């Protein structure tokens, strides 16, 4: 697993670390997931959760931990979460510091199932995020059925926003929508200071991207204070 920080630029601090699947030599998540067959998906998903929590604890992480999960690997939320709860108890990780990011929404045919997962996790004390919002299938219509705690705005909307008035108009609309729906926002894929400053000015202080730090394999990145200025 690798960890990438999610920062609050306004508060000048790291608020989350996202756990990302990597191979033993740093191979990408895509190359690893390509080897996971459908019959192994549930076990793989469970082991990733366990590994992320164990590593976060070993590294002394004090921030919230965000873990990706595949909705199709969760057949029944309360049953599937048991190994996560057991691991959290064993290493002393507070469950209120766990967030689950929903990925690969384009492969979820049953939105009712995804809604049950989100509602069940909230009842158990976890928070949830919808990843890649604004790109592909992770679009506006999902919010008619789903009530995540956070939307992660895709890089496609963030890229060059400082000089693109159309992207700025869309982002401002997303900020207004999120406020009305009581949903938090994270801007993903921030790669330049100009993008970061523009996002902050539009009401998007919580950001993630290579501008702040690349994912660190089995380590926690620190943020240079100058990056907040």
């Amino acid at each position: 697993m690798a960890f990438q920080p999610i920062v609050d630029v306004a508060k000048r601090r790291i608020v989350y670390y996202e756990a990302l699947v990597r191979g033993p030599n740093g191979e990408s998540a895509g190359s690893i997931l390509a080897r996971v067959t459908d019959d192994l998906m549930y076990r793989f998903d469970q082991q990733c959760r366990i590994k992320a929590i164990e590593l976060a604890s070993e590294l002394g992480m004090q921030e919230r931990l965000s873990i990706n999960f595949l909705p199709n690997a969760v057949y029944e939320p309360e049953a599937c979460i048991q190994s996560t709860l057991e691991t959290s108890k064993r290493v002393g990780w507070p469950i209120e510091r766990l967030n689950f990011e929903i990925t690969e929404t384009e492969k979820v045919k049953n939105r009712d199932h995804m809604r049950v997962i989100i509602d069940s996790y909230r009842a158990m004390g976890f928070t949830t995020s919808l990843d890649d919002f604004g790109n592909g299938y992770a679009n506006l219509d999902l919010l008619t059925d789903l009530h995540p705690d956070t939307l992660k705005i895709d890089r496609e909307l963030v890229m060059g926003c400082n000089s693109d008035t159309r992207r700025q108009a869309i982002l401002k609309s997303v900020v207004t929508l999120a406020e009305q729906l009581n949903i938090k926002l994270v801007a993903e894929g921030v790669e330049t200071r100009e993008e970061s400053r523009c996002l902050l000015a539009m009401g998007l202080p919580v950001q993630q991207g290579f501008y702040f730090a690349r994912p660190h394999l089995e380590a926690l990145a620190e943020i240079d204070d100058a990056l907040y200025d």
Side-chain angles (χ1 to χ4, degrees), residues 26-150:
E27 296 92 338
S28 70
S31 68
I32 302 303
L33 288 168
R35 304 181 213 171
V36 182
T37 58
D38 289 344
D39 60 319
L40 290 177
M41 190 58 69
Y42 170 74
R43 289 179 59 191
F44 179 79
D45 184 78
Q46 294 293 306
Q47 289 303 310
C48 285
R49 297 181 187 209
I50 292 170
K51 184 69 171 179
I53 295 169
E54 289 177 341
L55 268 176
S57 178
E58 290 172 14
L59 294 169
M61 186 188 298
Q62 298 301 307
E63 296 78 10
R64 293 172 62 83
L65 173 64
S66 192
I67 303 173
N68 291 303
F69 80 96
L70 304 171
N72 289 332
V74 179
Y75 59 84
E76 201 287 312
E78 293 188 9
C80 293
I81 204 66
Q82 291 308 308
S83 62
T84 302
L85 294 172
E86 291 167 3
T87 303
S88 296
K89 183 177 181 180
R90 173 166 52 82
V91 304
W93 189 271
I95 61 172
E96 62 270 17
R97 282 204 278 134
L98 281 178
N99 178 73
F100 289 98
E101 290 192 23
I102 302 168
T103 62
E104 296 201 10
T105 51
E106 76 277 9
K107 294 183 180 180
V108 178
K109 297 184 176 71
N110 187 343
R111 288 193 186 181
D112 286 339
H113 176 60
M114 195 188 294
R115 178 178 50 78
V116 168
I117 294 173
I118 291 174
D119 293 346
S120 296
Y121 280 10
R122 179 178 291 114
M124 287 184 273
F126 307 117
T127 57
T128 57
S129 301
L130 185 63
D131 203 12
D132 300 327
F133 185 75
N135 185 21
Y137 286 83
N139 273 313
L140 202 59
D141 64 312
L142 285 175
L143 299 182
T144 62
D145 300 314
L146 309 179
H147 302 88
D149 298 284
T150 303

Side-chain angles (χ1 to χ4, degrees), residues 4-6 18 131-132 152-161 186-193 195-196 199 206-213:
Q4 186 177 30
I6 299 172
E18 180 181 356
D131 203 12
D132 300 327
K152 299 191 74 177
I153 301 173
D154 189 77
R155 165 71 182 160
E156 183 61 35
L157 295 180
V158 169
M159 180 173 54
C161 61
V186 176
E188 292 187 289
V190 180
E191 295 189 357
T192 69
R193 181 184 185 278
E195 290 172 352
S196 178
L199 292 164
V206 184
Q207 304 172 14
Q208 179 180 8
F210 290 172
Y211 172 66
F212 301 102

